Amino acid sequence: MMKMVEIAMPTNLHIKPTLTFNPSASISTWNLRKKPRETTKRKLGAVFASISSSHDTIGEELWPRSELCGSNKEKRASKKRVFFLDVNPLCYAGSTPSLHSFAHWISLFFSQVSLTDPVIAVLDGDGGSEHRRQLLPSYKAHRRKFSRKSSAPQKYPVERSHVVMDVLTKCNVPVVKIEGHEADDVVATLAGQVLQNRHKVVIASPDKDFKQLISEDVQIVLPIAELNRWSFYTLKHYISQYNCDPCSDLSFRCIMGDEVDGVPGIQNVAPGFGRKTALKLLKKHGSLQNLLDAAAVRTVGKKYAQDALTKHSDYLRRNYEILALRSDVDVQLKEEWLVERDRCNDSIILSNFFKLLEQSKRPTYQSGSHSKID
């Protein structure tokens, strides 16, 4: 059965501003290049801990965007950066769908992070979670679907996702949405193609699933609500936080589970098997597959760990199939997606979008006005 591929392309129109866009009028902004104060360092540890798990900590302050991980900075600094915007998580305030949240974060993203670098936006395709839900019905079962119509139908006669796509394309950002595939898998596939073109990849998302992709040429930039800013998360941050290689990240999460996505960890069936045990075994064996293979033929740890790995190996393999990002989605990177982004429309498009959102809060309005974002 053929899958529907929906790609919204920018129009590259130059729209003469009629409004002055001032993000500070509605949202406070931070200078990304400012060095955090000591109090900020402590906050960042708590923020990153909440992103990964309630027990994880990070010992370093966030670095400015100009500082790259690794030793050969000059060589990597010369590479073009291509941003992937994971749209769906930005469209929520907590667990509630919110166009205001989307407007807030993309205004900061365009003005402070991506600037003129290429940006490719990706949305979840319809039915994208079905394969994983067949394996585990609890997978993302608690999430309310964002693409349902807004609570103000007169203001938004189309689905929310279409409103989001309209804003992004008018800001000269191509939008990719593929039926039957989650955005994470599409990003992983396209990111691999970008790396083959010898560019750097930066994934803009709060989703910890992308940590399994981190390398010298793949970074994440996270929206940090407590600081009201985007912050970069690099290979050095990862090693400082976990004291292991990112290639073990997926295996670690398969063992510990993912509460946010509804994926239970091994502690649900083997209560004594905790985070320290998982990290110790993975540092020794490298991956979940190596660990399970070893446990099948010899003792790899204490009795409770040995029993858990042998009795619940299928449980862990199922978690692996659910949490592993796919890189084989049928989508091809287009050359025009890699050109410098024209920012000329940002001010007027985002100003009108904020104005439309503010008007939607009012109890009364003129019939028929602002039915479309300009």
Side-chain angles (χ1 to χ4, degrees):
M1 177 175 156
M2 185 173 291
K3 300 290 185 184
M4 184 184 76
V5 178
E6 184 175 357
I7 299 177
M9 296 295 294
T11 58
N12 290 316
L13 293 176
H14 288 222
I15 303 174
K16 185 177 180 180
T18 57
L19 296 171
T20 301
F21 175 52
N22 180 9
S24 63
S26 54
I27 53 177
S28 59
T29 60
W30 287 64
N31 186 337
L32 284 179
R33 299 181 185 271
K34 284 185 179 178
K35 185 176 181 180
R37 294 178 296 181
E38 193 65 30
T39 54
T40 301
K41 289 185 185 181
R42 292 193 292 269
K43 285 184 180 179
L44 290 175
V47 171
F48 275 99
S50 66
I51 292 169
S52 52
S53 81
S54 59
H55 301 289
D56 297 330
T57 58
I58 182 165
E60 299 181 35
E61 64 186 77
L62 287 180
W63 300 349
R65 60 175 290 187
S66 59
E67 186 162 0
L68 305 178
C69 59
S71 57
N72 193 355
K73 294 179 185 177
E74 264 186 41
K75 183 177 179 181
R76 284 194 294 277
S78 65
K79 290 185 178 182
K80 176 190 289 186
R81 295 191 311 177
V82 178
F83 284 86
F84 285 93
L85 187 64
D86 182 20
V87 176
N88 289 79
L90 305 180
C91 298
Y92 287 83
S95 61
T96 304
S98 171
L99 286 171
H100 289 82
S101 175
F102 167 73
H104 173 95
W105 287 113
I106 65 163
S107 66
L108 292 178
F109 179 73
F110 288 152
S111 64
Q112 298 182 349
V113 181
S114 65
L115 306 178
T116 61
D117 287 335
V119 179
I120 301 168
V122 185
L123 277 77
D124 287 334
D126 295 335
S129 301
E130 289 310 307
H131 168 69
R132 291 178 169 100
R133 280 184 180 156
Q134 287 176 5
L135 294 171
L136 183 65
S138 64
Y139 178 72
K140 294 185 178 180
H142 67 288
R143 295 192 182 181
R144 291 172 58 188
K145 191 175 181 182
F146 176 75
S147 61
R148 291 173 183 162
K149 290 184 180 180
S150 165
S151 59
Q154 292 91 342
K155 293 290 181 183
Y156 305 114
V158 295
E159 290 187 340
R160 291 187 184 96
S161 61
H162 293 166
V163 175
V164 167
M165 292 173 72
D166 187 38
V167 171
L168 290 170
T169 54
K170 287 179 178 176
C171 289
N172 294 315
V173 174
V175 182
V176 182
K177 180 180 178 183
I178 301 180
E179 182 183 356
H181 292 285
E182 293 187 72
D184 296 7
D185 297 325
V186 178
V187 169
T189 300
L190 290 174
Q193 297 174 26
V194 169
L195 292 174
Q196 289 175 2
N197 280 269
R198 300 184 181 278
H199 301 317
K200 289 179 65 69
V201 169
V202 184
I203 301 170
S205 174
D207 193 338
K208 59 184 174 294
D209 291 348
F210 290 116
K211 286 184 178 181
Q212 63 190 268
L213 302 180
I214 284 182
S215 69
E216 290 185 345
D217 286 323
V218 179
Q219 299 179 351
I220 300 174
V221 60
L222 302 151
I224 307 297
E226 288 84 349
L227 301 180
N228 197 32
R229 58 172 280 184
W230 291 86
S231 294
F232 280 76
Y233 185 90
T234 68
L235 177 62
K236 282 191 176 181
H237 287 121
Y238 185 93
I239 293 173
S240 174
Q241 183 175 8
Y242 295 102
N243 194 28
C244 67
D245 193 277
C247 66
S248 300
D249 181 78
L250 176 59
S251 296
F252 176 72
R253 290 180 56 236
C254 290
I255 295 173
M256 299 310 299
D258 187 332
E259 184 178 351
V260 174
D261 285 347
V263 180
I266 198 169
Q267 62 272 24
N268 286 267
V269 291
F273 203 123
R275 179 176 179 273
K276 289 183 179 179
T277 301
L279 285 173
K280 180 180 178 180
L281 291 172
L282 287 174
K283 286 186 74 172
K284 181 178 180 180
H285 295 277
S287 70
L288 177 63
Q289 187 59 55
N290 290 343
L291 177 59
L292 293 177
D293 289 345
V297 296
R298 65 178 187 273
T299 300
V300 296
K302 294 182 179 180
K303 187 177 186 304
Y304 73 88
Q306 181 71 23
D307 289 346
L309 292 170
T310 53
K311 292 179 181 178
H312 304 293
S313 58
D314 289 343
Y315 182 99
L316 295 171
R317 288 191 174 95
R318 180 208 61 187
N319 281 3
Y320 188 93
E321 188 169 354
I322 292 169
L323 294 173
L325 297 184
R326 295 179 55 185
S327 58
D328 60 351
V329 178
D330 186 14
V331 59
Q332 292 299 316
L333 185 71
K334 296 183 182 297
E335 195 66 34
E336 57 265 33
W337 297 352
L338 303 179
V339 301
E340 185 175 277
R341 188 179 72 88
D342 187 345
R343 303 173 63 193
C344 66
N345 294 348
D346 290 4
S347 177
I348 181 62
I349 294 300
L350 294 176
S351 292
N352 284 349
F353 189 38
F354 274 111
K355 182 179 179 181
L356 177 60
L357 293 175
E358 288 302 314
Q359 290 181 342
S360 70
K361 295 180 180 179
R362 299 174 187 173
T364 58
Y365 57 90
Q366 291 182 354
S367 178
S369 66
H370 295 283
S371 60
K372 185 179 180 182
I373 300 171
D374 294 324

